[in-house]
Amino acid sequence: MEAVGHLLHRIWLFFFLFWLGQGRRMAPPGFVESSCRSRIFWMKLNKLLLQGKFFQLEIYDPYSGPVLLDEQLASRCGYVLSEDVWGNPVFRASVLGCHVANEADELFSLTVNIKVSSFSSMRAAVTYTYPMYCSYASWASREIVCEENYMEVSVKTDVPAVSNDYTVAWMSALPETQNVAYQQWQLMFVSPSGRKRITVSDAVKLGYSFNNSLSRVYLRAPYHSNESDVSVVSGVTMNMITSTSMYRQRWLLLLIDTTVSCPVDGISFTNTTLTWTVPRVIPTLVVQESTFLSKSIVMGVDDQVIVNPEEMNYLLEYNETHIRITIPTGAEGGKLESSISGGVYGVTYCIDLFLEHTWTDADWQTTKYTVIKSITTPFMPQMPTVINNTAPEERLFNVALGHFLPDVSLVAITVGNVPFSLREAQHHGFKIYETPFSNGTKAFILEVSFDDPYVLREYVNRNETKYTLLVNYTLSVGLEMMLYYHSAEVECVIADIVVPEAVGSCDEENLYLTLPTFGLHQYWDLYLGNKLLNRHLALTNGYLAATNSTHLILQIPLFAGGLIYEEVSFQKIKARFDVALRKVRTMETLQMFSISCSFNSSAFIICNPDGTIMVSAQMKTVPAIDMSKTKLRDSSCKPKEYNEAHAFFKFHVTTCGTSVRFEGDHIIYENEISYEKETLPRQSIPTITRDPDYRLTVLCYYQAKETLVLGAFSRDPATSPPFGSGMMFPRSNTAAYRRVRQALNVVSRVSKDESFMEFYGPSTAILKQPMESVFLEVELKDESPSVELYLENCWVASSPDFNSNPRWNITVDGQVVLTVQLTQQSPNFYLYLLFFLSNRCEINGSEFAAEFCPVPVSPRVRHPPHFKRLAVRTLAQQLEQVYVHCLVAACSPTNAQPGSTCRGQCISSRERKGFPGHPSDSLQGYVLAGPVWIVAPDRR
């Protein structure tokens, strides 16, 4: 009879499912997967078939029809709706769920309606009916399931039944019988607030689910209910409900322990692993711990048991108190996901685990304890790496940006400051592609030519170019497609520049320099001394320049400015032209180009920057004269070389009677070559001469701003002013001859102290602190003892240029200025210079008299009137360097008249007041002293 009853029940179940399927669609292939694992239904939906759609689940109740699944129903009835790590919807249900058809606690079935719609309102939805079946007969005495949203305990028991004969009549009466029994069950909860006894119907209102099957009683509860308690077991927080289920009917009283306890934490993380810890022994579930014995511990991922965890690099270990599962971050079975947090790229790792622990103890024969846990690591920042695979020999940037997970995509790039979509970048000529790695990550490759216009170029070192690629990547990250930006800068330096080599040549009158034009003005420039050799300078110096598509040809006439004359005589001139190749940005000299040639020239004049004048004069007279008897204004200045037709003179502008005058922005030095005529008779007034009356005037022009330095300080040849220009013309000694002022031979020095015994050398830096005196001496050389040196106009400037501004006057028309102010207003600072006269030439207290220092006779000073000494003190902090300029005059006391320049500077102030002079009888000159560096005390 029992076998017949089982058969009839199966037939009834078949007809029921057949009726259920009428009017319902079957799910398309590949849309639904299901399994039964450890008395739990598992159903997974394929997310690819749900893209762009909305779905709902309905649980089909055999008695009341479909019921929409929501959170409250799920936790009360033993259902879970979530997603797996790959984003596929997952539905799990306990075989003891509210709507599960139960056949003798061995066969279970559940039907789910899957409603799919293109609209969020679920209108026009298509319903797919999916039945699931599960066979589970190996029940333990007590089974506990710790799901994500509920805790469930089922206990094996014998509920009084009407009959053991499974007939159709009994089956039809079973729901009523169970309903009566259901109504007579009561639950008693024990919590920190005390004991509470409620009926089953009241428990349902509180979110609990209690029921019994033929052989089991089960209680399902949500986490953190009012009747629950929280405790810590072996360091793991547990949520616990202590309850007793009671059944009372007439003379029968049945008490069943339905206590349940589940872990709510126990997760820990490192940079490389996650660890899940569960207590091995839970005191509320094992009263007699001494009788506790573990029978098996099994772990699984999703719905699959992992038989050999070590093969997947999992670690399952346990001791007397704990069970611990350790999973490496990124291990198989889980999923890494990209994310953005605070603008930083990183990843999270998630995995769905379950643990089954089976034990025995004296109170409960066997307990099966199942915990299902979905674990996600915290955000782990992952700084992308820029890998430079640039190939210099191919002139190609190859830049890899990685490592990224497959859920990251490149959407745009910016090269330089120009944005490109991927299509625009490909069209422009950039090559962009992905490359995979063995660990499942990928990188984005960008290839850009060195010659692309958006690549930065910089000329470096001697013959190299630094190419710089600036890229900003825009990436879409994760399922949310959040935008992430990452910038990269890649440099490559290659030797791809050929430094030009110049070729020199000469003809009878010119020097020629030929060099390639590649890179000229882009990488380097030509410099003549410290001046840029541009078109203006070339025209000023008289050069001729011509260019073609590849070369520059520079023609330099023999007597053009900027030439260096290595050897000069009346027979030949050896001239050299030097030009420097310098970097445009750093002014670093890369190469010096030099051309040197010898020329034959019969007549010339060369005005050197150091004041040396060289003249080759050709005397074309009839009758011919003796060239050895020619001379300059100073008859002691004879030709250095001569022959029958030429005489060669070499002298300095401060010697041989050279005069100076100022015309506009030029300083003109003038001398004269003349011939000493022989007359007869020699001892009396000459009456007869054979020689012609011949004079040759020599002029040298210099720019006033590039005036010669006639003082004691020398300059670096590389910074010397360019040559002056000269000319010669003959004239007689008739009325056409004009007298000019003769230049004085004067020098200036800076003394180290007021004794004027030790002086700074030409190459020694002069450093002075503010308020510290500067001692200046000016000396007149090669003049008669009866002449006295005077300072006409003296000023201080921050530049050595004669016409530089701003300037501060020291003496004006021979008179000392007591308080020296700027001749041009300056909002930043004032300079005060004070000159004092005393025995030690010092500044005493607050005396502010402007006087000269005394000049006593000494072995070095034979004629004190040939010297003037000044003490200069600065009161300004802001100046760094100063120069002292002076226009000087030499006066003869016998010819001086009142009101002239030559007064006010005698050795004593008493003598100075009555000293006459006349400006027309004075000789003039110019001196420059400096630089004197005014520094702060801490920089001395």
Side-chain angles (χ1 to χ4, degrees):
M1 284 298 291
E2 182 177 353
V4 173
H6 280 285
L7 179 60
L8 291 174
H9 180 75
R10 285 186 174 90
I11 294 173
W12 174 84
L13 184 61
F14 171 78
F15 280 105
F16 166 74
L17 294 176
F18 175 79
W19 169 82
L20 188 66
Q22 298 302 307
R24 305 285 178 168
R25 293 190 182 183
M26 300 301 293
F31 180 42
V32 184
E33 293 181 10
S34 64
S35 63
C36 179
R37 167 63 197 166
S38 186
R39 74 178 191 79
I40 293 177
F41 293 103
W42 296 69
M43 182 181 75
K44 180 171 67 175
L45 305 182
N46 190 338
K47 68 175 182 178
L48 298 178
L49 299 180
L50 289 173
Q51 287 184 351
K53 298 182 183 299
F54 302 89
F55 80 95
Q56 290 179 346
L57 294 185
E58 293 178 341
I59 309 301
Y60 196 86
D61 189 325
Y63 304 103
S64 60
V67 180
L68 181 64
L69 178 64
D70 57 23
E71 291 184 5
Q72 184 177 1
L73 178 69
S75 62
R76 184 173 59 84
C77 289
Y79 306 140
V80 175
L81 179 61
S82 63
E83 288 185 353
D84 66 8
V85 297
W86 309 106
N88 298 301
V90 172
F91 172 75
R92 291 192 298 271
S94 169
V95 296
L96 299 177
C98 297
H99 308 96
V100 176
N102 184 346
E103 182 183 350
D105 287 335
E106 294 182 2
L107 298 176
F108 306 90
S109 62
L110 177 66
T111 300
V112 179
N113 291 338
I114 308 167
K115 301 181 68 174
V116 180
S117 174
S118 299
F119 307 97
S120 59
S121 63
M122 299 304 295
R123 61 186 177 89
V126 176
T127 302
Y128 302 103
T129 299
Y130 191 81
M132 293 183 289
Y133 307 96
C134 190
S135 174
Y136 186 71
S138 57
W139 289 92
S141 300
R142 178 176 60 176
E143 295 204 4
I144 296 175
V145 175
C146 299
E147 256 286 6
E148 294 182 18
N149 59 344
Y150 67 86
M151 302 180 291
E152 182 183 270
V153 54
S154 70
V155 178
K156 186 177 181 181
T157 184
D158 293 324
V159 178
V162 176
S163 173
N164 288 331
D165 188 13
Y166 292 101
T167 62
V168 175
W170 182 88
M171 292 298 297
S172 62
L174 181 61
E176 182 66 20
T177 304
Q178 290 180 335
N179 187 46
V180 173
Y182 174 82
Q183 291 175 349
Q184 294 183 2
W185 281 97
Q186 288 186 339
L187 301 175
M188 185 171 61
F189 296 98
V190 179
S191 64
S193 60
R195 295 176 178 269
K196 178 189 295 186
R197 189 174 68 177
I198 60 177
T199 64
V200 172
S201 58
D202 291 334
V204 172
K205 297 176 182 178
L206 297 177
Y208 296 94
S209 179
F210 177 84
N211 211 332
N212 68 290
S213 63
L214 291 178
S215 61
R216 305 189 72 81
V217 172
Y218 58 89
L219 173 68
R220 190 178 304 112
Y223 285 93
H224 308 293
S225 65
N226 291 334
E227 293 74 29
S228 66
D229 189 16
V230 174
S231 63
V232 177
V233 178
S234 300
V236 179
T237 302
M238 308 290 290
N239 191 240
M240 174 182 62
I241 293 179
T242 303
S243 66
T244 301
S245 302
M246 301 179 297
Y247 179 82
R248 184 181 184 91
Q249 187 177 14
R250 297 179 181 177
W251 63 87
L252 176 65
L253 178 62
L254 182 64
L255 301 178
I256 302 175
D257 184 2
T258 51
T259 297
V260 62
S261 181
C262 289
V264 294
D265 62 8
I267 308 298
S268 61
F269 306 95
T270 68
N271 292 333
T272 57
T273 62
L274 65 87
T275 301
W276 180 25
T277 303
V278 176
R280 188 182 183 196
V281 180
I282 303 171
T284 56
L285 302 180
V286 181
V287 178
Q288 301 182 53
E289 188 174 340
S290 61
T291 64
F292 173 86
L293 178 64
S294 287
K295 302 297 290 185
S296 69
I297 299 175
V298 177
M299 69 164 290
V301 176
D302 294 327
D303 60 344
Q304 301 295 319
V305 173
I306 306 300
V307 178
N308 297 310
E310 63 277 1
E311 294 181 359
M312 303 181 69
N313 294 323
Y314 302 160
L315 179 61
L316 174 60
E317 55 185 348
Y318 50 87
N319 54 26
E320 295 297 325
T321 58
H322 296 89
I323 301 172
R324 184 174 290 113
I325 298 175
T326 302
I327 308 294
T329 302
E332 181 183 354
K335 182 186 179 184
L336 283 168
E337 292 183 345
S338 300
S339 182
I340 302 295
S341 178
V344 177
Y345 171 77
V347 299
T348 58
Y349 176 73
C350 49
I351 189 170
D352 295 331
L353 299 175
F354 72 83
L355 174 70
E356 284 186 357
H357 182 197
T358 303
W359 73 78
T360 61
D361 60 74
D363 297 315
W364 299 90
Q365 295 178 359
T366 305
T367 299
K368 180 182 285 188
Y369 188 79
T370 303
V371 185
I372 299 176
K373 194 75 170 178
S374 180
I375 303 175
T376 300
T377 66
F379 177 80
M380 297 178 287
Q382 301 276 325
M383 180 60 66
T385 303
V386 176
I387 305 171
N388 185 6
N389 296 319
T390 297
E393 64 280 0
E394 300 178 11
R395 298 182 60 83
L396 186 69
F397 282 111
N398 184 297
V399 183
L401 179 66
H403 296 67
F404 293 105
L405 297 178
D407 59 357
V408 177
S409 59
L410 180 65
V411 296
I413 62 171
T414 298
V415 179
N417 292 320
V418 182
F420 295 91
S421 66
L422 294 188
R423 178 176 296 180
E424 291 171 341
Q426 298 283 1
H427 184 265
H428 177 77
F430 301 147
K431 189 176 181 181
I432 303 174
Y433 56 95
E434 295 182 4
T435 182
F437 297 105
S438 58
N439 61 357
T441 61
K442 64 180 179 180
F444 300 101
I445 310 297
L446 172 64
E447 293 184 358
V448 179
S449 171
F450 286 2
D451 302 314
D452 189 90
Y454 299 116
V455 172
L456 303 180
R457 299 169 181 81
E458 181 183 359
Y459 173 51
V460 296
N461 303 324
R462 179 178 176 83
N463 62 337
E464 296 176 329
T465 303
K466 180 171 72 173
Y467 296 92
T468 304
L469 177 65
L470 301 177
V471 187
N472 191 20
Y473 297 86
T474 302
L475 302 108
S476 174
V477 177
L479 296 177
E480 297 82 7
M481 293 186 291
M482 299 178 62
L483 293 183
Y484 171 68
Y485 305 94
H486 189 84
S487 59
E489 179 177 342
V490 182
E491 296 179 351
C492 184
V493 178
I494 59 174
D496 58 353
I497 294 179
V498 179
V499 178
E501 294 290 339
V503 177
S505 62
C506 300
D507 60 17
E508 294 180 356
E509 298 179 350
N510 303 280
L511 297 88
Y512 296 92
L513 180 71
T514 303
L515 73 159
T517 55
F518 169 76
L520 199 59
H521 310 310
Q522 179 185 2
Y523 302 130
W524 42 68
D525 282 320
L526 294 176
Y527 276 79
L528 184 63
N530 63 346
K531 291 190 175 182
L532 176 66
L533 183 54
N534 53 21
R535 182 180 298 275
H536 174 73
L537 182 61
L539 292 175
T540 301
N541 286 359
Y543 306 156
L544 296 178
T547 59
N548 56 26
S549 60
T550 59
H551 286 80
L552 166 69
I553 302 174
L554 195 64
Q555 177 183 328
I556 306 101
L558 173 60
F559 297 108
L563 284 172
I564 300 171
Y565 297 96
E566 300 178 308
E567 181 181 347
V568 180
S569 68
F570 70 91
Q571 294 179 340
K572 72 172 183 177
I573 299 176
K574 186 176 181 181
R576 189 180 81 242
F577 180 72
D578 294 337
V579 65
L581 187 72
R582 293 184 180 178
K583 290 184 178 179
V584 170
R585 293 184 59 185
T586 64
M587 298 288 291
E588 176 189 353
T589 299
L590 293 177
Q591 198 154 331
M592 290 293 300
F593 301 134
S594 182
I595 315 167
S596 181
C597 297
S598 296
F599 299 87
N600 296 321
S601 182
S602 58
F604 59 84
I605 177 172
I606 299 174
C607 305
N608 285 305
D610 61 355
T612 302
I613 300 176
M614 293 178 287
V615 181
S616 177
Q618 185 177 15
M619 298 297 187
K620 297 181 180 179
T621 61
V622 179
I625 61 176
D626 185 356
M627 301 304 291
S628 65
K629 297 180 179 181
T630 55
K631 64 179 181 61
L632 299 176
R633 284 177 180 169
D634 187 340
S635 59
S636 64
C637 296
K638 297 291 186 178
K640 302 294 184 181
E641 298 180 64
Y642 60 87
N643 59 15
E644 295 178 354
H646 297 83
F648 175 70
F649 292 87
K650 182 178 181 181
F651 60 96
H652 196 268
V653 295
T654 60
T655 62
C656 296
T658 305
S659 62
V660 62
R661 69 177 185 270
F662 298 89
E663 290 186 4
D665 59 350
H666 284 82
I667 300 177
I668 303 175
Y669 294 91
E670 180 177 329
N671 211 316
E672 190 176 70
I673 301 175
S674 61
Y675 172 67
E676 294 183 357
K677 296 182 288 186
E678 293 184 1
T679 59
L680 295 174
R682 294 178 180 272
Q683 303 300 327
S684 61
I685 298 175
T687 57
I688 301 174
T689 178
R690 298 178 57 252
D691 298 327
D693 182 12
Y694 190 87
R695 295 177 183 274
L696 186 67
T697 299
V698 178
L699 299 175
C700 276
Y701 294 80
Y702 291 89
Q703 291 284 340
K705 292 185 178 181
E706 296 164 347
T707 185
L708 301 182
V709 180
L710 304 180
F713 298 97
S714 63
R715 291 175 176 267
D716 187 338
T719 62
S720 297
F723 291 9
S725 59
M727 62 181 301
M728 300 179 292
F729 57 90
R731 58 184 178 183
S732 64
N733 57 358
T734 60
Y737 175 73
R738 296 187 296 116
R739 295 185 60 192
V740 297
R741 291 181 293 171
Q742 183 177 0
L744 295 175
N745 186 6
V746 288
V747 295
S748 62
R749 310 178 186 90
V750 177
S751 175
K752 294 185 176 180
D753 53 32
E754 69 273 15
S755 67
F756 289 91
M757 299 295 293
E758 187 177 359
F759 299 89
Y760 290 100
S763 59
T764 304
I766 306 174
L767 304 179
K768 294 292 181 180
Q769 300 180 14
M771 304 294 294
E772 186 177 0
S773 298
V774 178
F775 303 98
L776 176 67
E777 179 181 271
V778 182
E779 179 186 359
L780 172 67
K781 288 184 174 292
D782 301 331
E783 299 292 344
S784 65
S786 61
V787 175
E788 184 170 357
L789 175 68
Y790 294 95
L791 304 182
E792 269 190 310
N793 295 298
C794 293
W795 65 94
V796 173
S798 59
S799 170
D801 290 344
F802 183 84
N803 289 333
S804 64
N805 283 305
R807 63 171 62 184
W808 299 266
N809 291 327
I810 300 172
T811 64
V812 178
D813 295 332
Q815 300 298 318
V816 176
V817 179
L818 298 182
T819 301
V820 182
Q821 297 283 355
L822 277 168
T823 58
Q824 294 186 359
Q825 290 296 331
S826 171
N828 297 324
F829 56 85
Y830 291 95
L831 175 68
Y832 297 87
L833 301 122
L834 303 176
F835 306 90
F836 295 87
L837 172 62
S838 67
N839 292 333
R840 296 182 60 204
C841 195
E842 291 180 342
I843 297 175
N844 298 317
S846 58
E847 295 183 9
F848 292 93
E851 298 289 349
F852 290 86
C853 297
V855 185
V857 177
S858 67
R860 190 175 64 83
V861 181
R862 298 177 55 190
H863 303 291
H866 290 186
F867 291 81
K868 282 294 179 287
R869 292 174 177 174
L870 307 175
V872 182
R873 186 175 71 177
T874 64
L875 304 180
Q877 298 284 346
Q878 286 86 351
L879 283 179
E880 291 189 348
Q881 64 177 5
V882 295
Y883 295 82
V884 181
H885 303 254
C886 279
L887 288 174
V888 302
C891 300
S892 173
T894 59
N895 297 328
Q897 296 181 6
S900 67
T901 300
C902 299
R903 62 187 302 275
Q905 297 179 11
C906 298
I907 296 177
S908 66
S909 59
R910 184 176 302 171
E911 295 174 337
R912 182 177 68 251
K913 292 180 181 178
F915 199 54
H918 193 279
S920 62
D921 296 326
S922 65
L923 303 178
Q924 292 185 324
Y926 165 77
V927 292
L928 172 68
V932 178
W933 293 87
I934 309 300
V935 298
D938 57 350
R939 295 177 58 189
R940 181 68 181 269

